Each structure stands twice: as structure tokens, then as C-alpha cells.
Amino acid sequence: MSRRRAYSDSDDDDVHSKKRRRVSDTVDIEDRLQSLITRVGEKSTSSLESNLEGLSSVLEADLASYKSKIIKILSECVTNLPEKMTVYTTLVGLLNAKNYNCGGEFTELLVRNLKEALKTNCFENARLIVRFMADLVNCHVIVASSLLVMFDNFVEVTLEDNIPQVRSDWYVYAVLSALPWVGREFYEKKESDFSKLLKSIESYLGKRQKIHVPALKVWSVNTPHLQEEYLDCLWAQLKNLQAQKWQEKNILRPYMAFDSVLCEALQHTLPQIIPPSHSEDSIYPLPAIVFRMFDYTDVPQEGPVLAGSHAIERYLIEEQLHRIIRTNHLERKDCAAALLSFPTKATIPLNYMIVEAVFGQLFTLPRPPYLEVFYGSLLIELCKLQPGSMPQVLAQATEMMFDRLNYMKTACIERFATWFAYHLSNFQFKWSWEDWSECIHQDAELPKAKFCKETFQKCLRLSYHQRILDNVPETFQPLLPFRPAPHYKYEKEGAGSLPGTMAAHQLIASIKAKCTPEEAIQCLRELKNPLMDEDDEPSYNPLKIDVFVSTLLNLGHKSFSHSFAAMAKFHYVFRSLAEHEDAQICILNTMYEVWSTNQQRMVVLIDKMLKTQIVEPSAVANWIFSEKMSQDLNSFYVWEILHSTIKKMNKHVNKLQTEFEEAQDKLDAAERKAREMDEEDYDRDPEAPTEERVERMEETLEAAQGQQKNLFLIIFQRFIIILTNHLAHCESESIDHNTAWYKWIIERLQQVFLMVTSVVFITAVTVKYEDNI
């Protein structure tokens, strides 16, 4: 018995061991397939054609056992490796020629993926799938007429009623962006149907609204380069390609080498693909402006020629550069290396096109695709990898942008200054400043003078005051920032005559003696309220606030950590002194008096005050537009504070909204479960919220939404007031209203509105303003 048991146990172990080996072998083979497929097209000693032919034979041999895995890997490559699209269309074409069923199953999966991407608002993935399908026509995998039917269905979206224009724009763009690959095939085999499709697109492009274009332009004028809307630019490029009978030379087409094999393959007809209906939850890509900085006259004559703005080569190269940035935006070194390894770099002025693409993304309105610091770090990596040429191109671009500052949007000038300061900080703040000496004698509100002044302020954040003085010529002294130091009036000469001096000195001694918040309040107890004459019961005491806040900030001036620690310890005092908005504005005014020479300190302190709820967002907005801040209203740091305040408010509301919706879903699920079961059998989920808790969450959310709405109303009303006052003043004085001040303010209004448009619609805020605003 014991021997049979031992034998049985041993046999069982062998069975499990064989199963583990089979699983391990399967995993190894699948990993090998993944590696072979994803790495095809990379640098190799063999030609691309021979690698594709060898890989197709290897995959054909594995189709019997791993067909679904192979098809899945290939479908993932469609959206994950779009830069090698024609490589994979060729591979699919070769597999289809060898195994018709494999080609059919891949096409079916591609169609399912396209429908799912459209349904789930993954529009960039959907566009890549559409383009892949278009190139499969060239590989004799998909019937050209069935693709044309799908394109017709896409273009018919433009005839739908009551839809946003961005919906029809995207479907037209999905078709147009695929035509450089498949246009020649349509022209040769389906010319009549293709012409009808192009006429429908042309008709739509001719009647669509373009009121968004001025708001999205980087420059307000079209000289020296036309700032075109993305669909108009692509259409002009395709019209030029049509004039060339749809023949271009930039797209790698490895399937041409296998034409004799592919043309014998059976093709698949696409099923009817109808775009899903529009819903309120659909989020379509926003329109964009094609950024232009260089033309052929800016590029050295001895090098490759830069294609014209309406050449299809410009679109194809730029899109690939943007794709590289998108793929590698989390790794700046990999991104820089990939950009400089562009396949056709020998035939194009690559450095110029890279710099234009990077700044094009940095200046995208209303916001860049990625963090602003990414673009600065990327350009530094590019300069490191190409020290002999890239710094010169970047310097040329900087000079050109400086020359055009008078026509650049305010938001872009701010990003330009931030980037330039960051770039200078990595190159010892060295620059040919004398070439910009013209701005020294200009009005400080004019763009060039403002840009230099704000750049020096940004440099100060990245260095120290004396170093800025040492690296900038003395002639620029009027534009240089003051030495950042706190202004504590209770220790200045003549402070004895100020009403709060004695209490301030007493407070200093108490804080140094590690007093409690309650003891600090006692130090302020004897201070009389200067508002008592105006109001019998004033809501706050400005003298107490002034003494306490200025003293605390002065004591914590050594570092941000000191300031934060002081604010945390005496948080109770802040809250007791500033229960109302007027008191919170008084706190901000006192902070401004202490740190008016240190913009970064003010930005950080207000951010901390918002986080700790010492001040409310509405108080910050009212303070920014107050009379006391009028002299700083056009300073960039003020708008940095306002944008940060808006973002914090929106983030807070979104967080509460998500929490409420999740709690409501859990409550609904618990109630459904309770209805389906008997009361005796029902065991309530302890994690499910109660109805009372959900009601409290809803009340909290509604209160936050009310604060959000109030914030937007304050901001837009204050804009209207200051702009109306300006226009009235100019009219009464018979002077032109279009001053430098007006330019800054009106473009700040546009910037804020673009940032919060969707939230404004959600909160149903209605803002009336003059037509010329």
C-alpha cells in the first residue's frame, strides 16, 4: 500500500511538472513573438524587406498554435508603434497572402477596435486605426471601395443636425490625414468616387465656422508666416498633393518590394462602419493652429531646403516629430535621441523642424500638451547631443520670437519668458543682451520691455539676486528686479509713531519665547479697531491683522519652511482674525506690503493660504482686481496666482463630484440588493454609505459648486468693470483705447475664458460683455 501511494505521489508530481513546463514554454514562445514583432523595422544588418519576409515565414509557421496571440500583438502595434505603420501593414499583407483567414480575423479585430475607440472617445487611436486601414488597401488586404464607403460615412457626419463642429471636424480630419497614404490608390482605381468624396469635404470646409481661430493664434498677424487652422492647412497641402497626382516621396513603403506577392492575395471587404451618434458625454479633440516659425529663407543655403508650408512633406514630417514627442514625453533624453535619429534627417533641415515643433507645442493655446518644463529640458538635451548646431538654431529662433513680440499673445509671451529664464539658468545666464538694448528706453508696458523684465524675475527664482546683476549689463538696470527682502515697517525708522509698534514688539518676544496661539491673540487684544468710527460693529480689525501677519511673515522670512511652520502653528489665529472675506483681503494686502519685492514668495504663500483655508478663492480674486493691486495687474506673477486659484477650485469641485457619484452608486447598488433579497437574509455591506451621508456629500458638493460659480462671476465681472472704465476714460479723453495696457488685459480675459470655458458652461455662468471685448 505504501509503495503504491509513493508511486502515485511521484506520478502526480511528474504531471504537475509537465504542466508547468508547458505553461513556461508557451510563455517563452509568446514573449519571443512579442519581441520579434515589436522590434521589426529597427536597425539591422539585413534589409527591411528580408527581415519582413523572414518574420512573415516565422509567424506563418506559428499561426496554427498562436494565431490569436499574433493578431493581438499586431493590433496593439497599430496604436502603440504608429511610426512603423507601413512596416506592419506590409507584414499583415504578407500574412494575408499566406493565410487568408488570418488576414480576415485581423481585419475583424481592427474594425472592432475602431468601433470601441470611437465609442469611448479615444479619437487619436481611432485616427491611427483609420490610417492603418487605408494603408492596408495598398497591401491588397482591404478592398478600396469598402474603405471609400467608410470614408463617405465619416464625411456624412457633417450633415448631422445639432452637433458641435468639433465632431464633424474630427471625422473629416480622420479622412484627410489618411489620404497621403491611400490617395494614389483611390486616384488610380476609384477616381470618380474619390472625386465626389473630395468635393463633399471641400464643400464642408468652405462653410464651417472659424470664429475660434483668432483666439488660438500665437501671433495676431499673418506676417511673415500665415497662422492657419489645422484643417485648412492640411487641405491646402492635400490640394498640392492632388496636383502632383497623389505622388509623394516621404512615406516609407516597404510593400512595394512585395507587389508581385501581394497583388495575388485575396482581399477583405470592410463591414458597414457607422459613426456612433453624438452624446453629451462625447469629448472631441479641440481645434488647433499650425505653428510656423521658419521658411526656406531662414535655413542655411548650403543645407537641405525646408519644404513650403503647403507641401505635404511638411505635414508628414511634422506629424512624425509630434508623434515622437508624444511617445517619449516622459523621458527627455530618449525623446531628444529619437528626434535627432529621424529616418530622413539627411534630406531635411531637421534641427529647424524640431525647434519649430517643440515651440509649436509649448505655445499651444489654451494650454500645451505637456508640462512646460518638459520642453525646456528637452531643448537642453538637444543642445547637449548637437552642441555644434542646435544652440545656434535655438538662438536664431529666440531672436526671431523676440523681434515678433509685439504681435505675440500674452499667454505665449509668458511661456516664452519662463522657458528663456530656465534655458539661461542652464547656460550661466549668458546672452547677447546688448542686442536687445532697444527695450531699455521703451515704455515698461510694451511687450519687449515687459518680456525682459519678467524674464529677469523668472531668472531670480532660479538663482540669486547678485548673480543676475553680475551677468546682465548695467544698462538694463531699470528692468532688473529689486533685491528680494521683507519690508517690516514696525522695525523701520519712524516706526515708533505707528499705532501697532508696541504690540508688534511684544508679539515678536512672545513668539520667540514659543508662545501658544491663544497667547499670541492676547498680545493683540489692546489694539483698537480703526474701523470703529465707520461702523459700530466692524467685522474685522485691520490693525490686528496687519501687526500679526507682518510680524509672523517677517519672523519666517529665512525660508519657505520657516514661513510654513509659522503659518501652521498659528493657523488658529489666522482663522479667528479672518472669518470674513474683507479680513482675508486684508491679510493678502499685508502679505503684499511685506513681500512686494519677492514675487515667488507671494505666489507660494497664497498657494499655502488657499490649501490651509486661511483665505478663500473669491477673496484672492477680489484682491487681485482691487485698487491696491492695480499697479501690478499686468505682472505675470499676479496671473500665475489667479490661474492657480482657479485650478485649485476646479480640482476641489471635481474631487467632491467624483466622491459623491461613487457614494451614490454604492448606495443605489445596496438598495437594489436589498429589494432583491428578503429582509431576514439581507446583510448590509458595511462599506456602503448611508442615505444621510450621501445627502451630506451632496450638500457639500453644492456648496463648493456655489463657490466655484461665485469665483467665475467675480473674475469676469471685474474684467468687465476695469475694461469698461478704460474704454470710458479713453472716450472722454478722445484717445485710442488700444493701448499696451488694454492688450495685456484683453488677452488675459481671453486666456482665462479659454481655460475655464467647459467649467463655465457646466456651472451655467452667463457673462455679458461688449462686442469689441
Side-chain angles (χ1 to χ4, degrees):
M1 288 287 289
S2 62
R3 280 198 300 272
R4 281 200 297 271
R5 248 194 328 270
Y7 176 80
S8 176
D9 290 343
S10 174
D11 188 53
D12 193 47
D13 289 342
D14 288 343
V15 171
H16 285 298
S17 177
K18 290 178 180 178
K19 285 183 178 179
R20 283 195 297 270
R21 280 200 299 272
R22 283 201 298 270
V23 171
S24 177
D25 291 345
T26 301
V27 171
D28 289 343
I29 294 173
E30 290 181 352
D31 288 345
R32 180 177 63 86
L33 290 172
Q34 179 93 26
S35 177
L36 287 172
I37 294 172
T38 55
R39 294 178 63 183
V40 67
E42 296 178 1
K43 287 185 178 180
S44 170
T45 54
S46 305
S47 67
L48 174 60
E49 289 75 14
S50 64
N51 287 338
L52 282 170
E53 189 172 14
L55 179 58
S56 65
S57 299
V58 170
L59 296 180
E60 183 194 11
D62 287 327
L63 282 177
S65 304
Y66 300 99
K67 183 195 289 185
S68 59
K69 181 64 178 179
I70 291 170
I71 291 174
K72 182 175 182 292
I73 296 171
L74 287 171
S75 68
E76 290 171 350
C77 292
V78 173
T79 52
N80 294 341
L81 296 169
E83 62 273 12
K84 296 194 290 184
M85 184 191 74
T86 55
V87 174
Y88 291 114
T89 53
T90 305
L91 182 57
V92 172
L94 292 172
L95 287 174
N96 181 66
K98 298 172 185 288
N99 189 313
Y100 178 75
N101 289 333
C102 176
E105 289 182 29
F106 177 80
T107 303
E108 290 174 3
L109 179 59
L110 212 55
V111 171
R112 288 199 301 273
N113 289 348
L114 174 59
K115 291 180 177 179
E116 182 64 20
L118 293 174
K119 184 179 178 181
T120 57
N121 296 331
C122 297
F123 290 106
E124 183 58 20
N125 283 351
R127 189 175 70 88
L128 294 174
I129 294 171
V130 169
R131 180 181 291 177
F132 198 91
M133 287 178 169
D135 207 40
L136 286 179
V137 171
N138 298 322
C139 300
H140 300 274
V141 176
I142 291 176
V143 177
S145 58
S146 66
L147 183 71
L148 262 176
V149 170
M150 186 184 82
F151 282 0
D152 285 333
N153 292 338
F154 277 22
V155 174
E156 283 180 5
V157 170
T158 62
L159 305 177
E160 295 177 353
D161 297 325
N162 301 319
I163 61 167
Q165 183 174 289
V166 284
R167 171 176 166 84
S168 48
D169 279 357
W170 183 85
Y171 280 97
V172 169
Y173 180 59
V175 173
L176 292 181
S177 65
L179 293 184
W181 280 263
V182 76
R184 179 68 181 178
E185 194 76 7
F186 283 164
Y187 172 72
E188 291 179 346
K189 297 179 179 178
K190 297 290 178 181
E191 185 176 4
S192 176
D193 294 337
F194 187 33
S195 296
K196 290 179 183 177
L197 176 71
L198 294 176
K199 286 179 182 177
S200 298
I201 293 174
E202 188 170 27
S203 173
Y204 169 72
L205 294 177
K207 64 185 181 184
R208 62 191 285 267
Q209 295 290 327
K210 301 176 188 175
I211 57 175
H212 58 279
V213 172
L216 299 180
K217 282 185 174 181
V218 174
W219 285 291
S220 58
V221 297
N222 285 325
T223 54
H225 305 301
L226 184 65
Q227 304 291 300
E228 289 182 287
E229 210 260 358
Y230 77 117
L231 278 180
D232 289 339
C233 184
L234 179 55
W235 179 249
Q237 291 164 335
L238 288 171
K239 293 294 284 185
N240 280 338
L241 184 60
Q242 183 182 24
Q244 300 167 16
K245 298 183 178 180
W246 300 96
Q247 291 180 327
E248 56 71 48
K249 301 177 182 178
N250 279 79
I251 298 176
L252 175 69
R253 299 180 186 268
Y255 40 77
M256 300 291 288
F258 302 99
D259 188 59
S260 59
V261 175
L262 297 176
C263 68
E264 299 294 329
L266 295 175
Q267 296 174 278
H268 304 272
T269 301
L270 290 174
Q272 188 82 336
I273 300 176
I274 305 296
S277 300
H278 172 65
S279 69
E280 294 300 323
D281 297 330
S282 300
I283 303 174
Y284 302 97
L286 294 174
I289 300 298
V290 179
F291 180 77
R292 290 281 180 259
M293 185 188 299
F294 302 117
D295 59 25
Y296 70 95
T297 60
D298 300 312
V299 179
Q301 294 182 354
E302 61 272 13
V305 178
L306 180 63
S309 62
H310 286 167
I312 196 63
E313 292 80 10
R314 196 77 174 261
Y315 169 75
L316 296 173
I317 295 168
E318 286 170 350
E319 198 205 27
Q320 198 163 344
L321 291 174
H322 288 303
R323 174 64 52 188
I324 292 172
I325 293 173
R326 177 173 181 161
T327 302
N328 300 282
H329 73 274
L330 296 176
E331 295 290 344
R332 66 185 190 280
K333 292 187 177 182
D334 294 343
C335 189
L339 287 170
L340 293 174
S341 301
F342 195 80
T344 58
K345 60 183 179 182
T347 60
I348 59 173
L350 181 60
N351 286 353
Y352 284 86
M353 299 196 74
I354 289 174
V355 168
E356 187 176 74
V358 172
F359 279 116
Q361 287 201 10
L362 176 61
F363 294 146
T364 299
L365 296 172
R367 58 183 63 83
Y370 313 111
L371 293 175
E372 290 181 36
V373 71
F374 159 70
Y375 300 102
S377 60
L378 174 61
L379 288 170
I380 289 169
E381 290 299 328
L382 290 167
C383 289
K384 289 179 181 178
L385 293 176
Q386 294 254 330
S389 56
M390 185 60 75
Q392 290 84 344
V393 176
L394 201 52
Q396 182 181 347
T398 305
E399 292 286 356
M400 293 170 69
M401 288 188 290
F402 181 80
D403 290 340
R404 301 173 193 171
L405 274 175
N406 290 337
Y407 309 106
M408 185 180 271
K409 285 286 180 63
T410 296
C412 298
I413 293 176
E414 185 174 13
R415 293 178 202 171
F416 182 23
T418 303
W419 163 77
F420 190 47
Y422 174 77
H423 192 76
L424 290 174
S425 71
N426 283 271
F427 292 93
Q428 301 178 348
F429 298 97
K430 298 292 177 62
W431 186 253
S432 52
W433 295 109
E434 295 295 349
D435 294 343
W436 291 359
S437 58
E438 60 178 287
C439 66
I440 300 171
H441 310 291
Q442 292 180 349
D443 182 345
E445 289 298 313
L446 291 177
K448 291 184 178 179
K450 174 71 77 175
F451 169 78
C452 287
K453 186 175 182 179
E454 294 291 344
T455 297
F456 295 142
Q457 284 284 359
K458 299 288 186 181
C459 287
L460 187 60
R461 298 188 185 191
L462 302 167
S463 185
Y464 53 93
H465 189 255
Q466 189 58 47
R467 190 177 185 192
I468 306 301
L469 296 181
D470 293 342
N471 284 282
V472 178
E474 290 185 10
T475 51
F476 279 77
Q477 190 70 31
L479 301 177
L480 292 174
F482 295 107
R483 189 175 72 86
H487 173 77
Y488 185 54
K489 62 185 178 183
Y490 294 111
E491 288 185 347
K492 298 291 183 182
E493 185 178 351
S497 61
L498 297 177
T501 302
M502 289 184 63
H505 290 172
Q506 183 184 352
L507 183 62
I508 292 173
S510 297
I511 292 175
K512 287 183 177 180
K514 303 187 184 302
C515 70
T516 64
E518 290 76 12
E519 291 170 341
I521 291 177
Q522 287 298 316
C523 296
L524 308 172
R525 184 182 53 190
E526 301 299 328
L527 291 173
K528 293 183 179 181
N529 193 335
L531 299 178
M532 193 63 74
D533 296 337
E534 303 174 13
D535 193 340
D536 293 336
E537 295 182 3
S539 60
Y540 70 103
N541 187 328
L543 184 56
K544 284 185 178 181
I545 292 175
D546 184 74
V547 170
F548 172 72
V549 174
S550 60
T551 300
L552 197 68
L553 293 181
N554 181 61
L555 289 173
H557 77 276
K558 290 185 178 180
S559 69
F560 289 124
S561 297
H562 284 79
S563 296
F564 293 165
M567 290 169 67
K569 180 175 181 180
F570 295 98
H571 184 263
Y572 169 74
V573 183
F574 277 106
R575 295 301 300 270
S576 62
L577 291 176
E579 295 179 357
H580 303 282
E581 186 174 295
D582 290 342
Q584 295 172 14
I585 293 174
C586 186
I587 287 177
L588 295 172
N589 284 333
T590 305
M591 178 214 63
Y592 177 76
E593 289 180 3
V594 175
W595 283 117
S596 60
T597 58
N598 192 328
Q599 296 180 359
Q600 184 182 20
R601 183 72 67 129
M602 287 190 284
V603 171
V604 175
L605 286 176
I606 291 177
D607 182 81
K608 190 68 174 178
M609 289 179 183
L610 284 167
K611 285 181 180 177
T612 55
Q613 298 182 341
I614 292 173
V615 298
E616 298 294 331
S618 58
V620 175
N622 276 315
W623 172 72
I624 285 173
F625 288 98
S626 65
E627 184 66 29
K628 190 175 184 67
M629 292 297 296
S630 59
Q631 73 274 15
D632 273 18
L633 190 57
N634 282 334
S635 296
F636 289 179
Y637 84 93
V638 171
W639 301 100
E640 184 180 353
I641 292 171
L642 183 62
H643 294 158
S644 175
T645 303
I646 293 172
K647 288 175 183 175
K648 274 188 169 46
M649 185 76 254
N650 293 345
K651 185 177 180 180
H652 177 59
V653 172
N654 291 338
K655 178 175 176 288
L656 293 177
Q657 179 81 40
T658 302
E659 290 174 351
F660 167 70
E661 290 174 353
E662 290 176 352
Q664 185 69 60
D665 290 342
K666 288 181 179 179
L667 178 62
D668 292 343
E671 290 176 347
R672 281 196 304 271
K673 186 177 180 181
R675 287 194 298 268
E676 292 169 1
M677 300 176 65
D678 295 333
E679 289 187 11
E680 296 178 359
D681 298 333
Y682 175 61
D683 184 16
R684 181 179 175 82
D685 183 358
E687 294 184 1
T690 62
E691 188 172 348
E692 292 77 12
R693 182 186 169 194
V694 173
E695 288 177 357
R696 287 196 301 271
M697 293 177 73
E698 186 175 16
E699 291 172 1
T700 305
L701 173 61
E702 289 174 353
Q705 288 174 335
Q707 290 180 332
Q708 184 186 47
K709 180 178 179 180
N710 185 45
L711 175 63
F712 293 147
L713 282 171
I714 290 170
I715 291 171
F716 290 118
Q717 285 173 354
R718 296 302 179 272
F719 265 119
I720 293 167
I721 290 170
I722 62 175
L723 286 168
T724 302
N725 291 341
H726 172 78
L727 294 173
H729 172 74
C730 292
E731 185 177 357
S732 64
E733 298 292 330
S734 300
I735 57 178
D736 185 10
H737 73 276
N738 195 18
T739 61
W741 180 92
Y742 179 79
K743 174 190 182 298
W744 294 115
I745 297 299
I746 201 69
E747 290 185 1
R748 286 298 186 184
L749 172 58
Q750 291 176 352
Q751 181 186 9
V752 172
F753 193 78
L754 282 174
M755 281 182 62
V756 302
T757 296
S758 59
V759 185
V760 168
F761 282 128
I762 291 171
T763 54
V765 176
T766 304
V767 182
K768 287 181 63 178
Y769 56 97
E770 299 293 333
D771 290 341
N772 62 345
I773 294 177

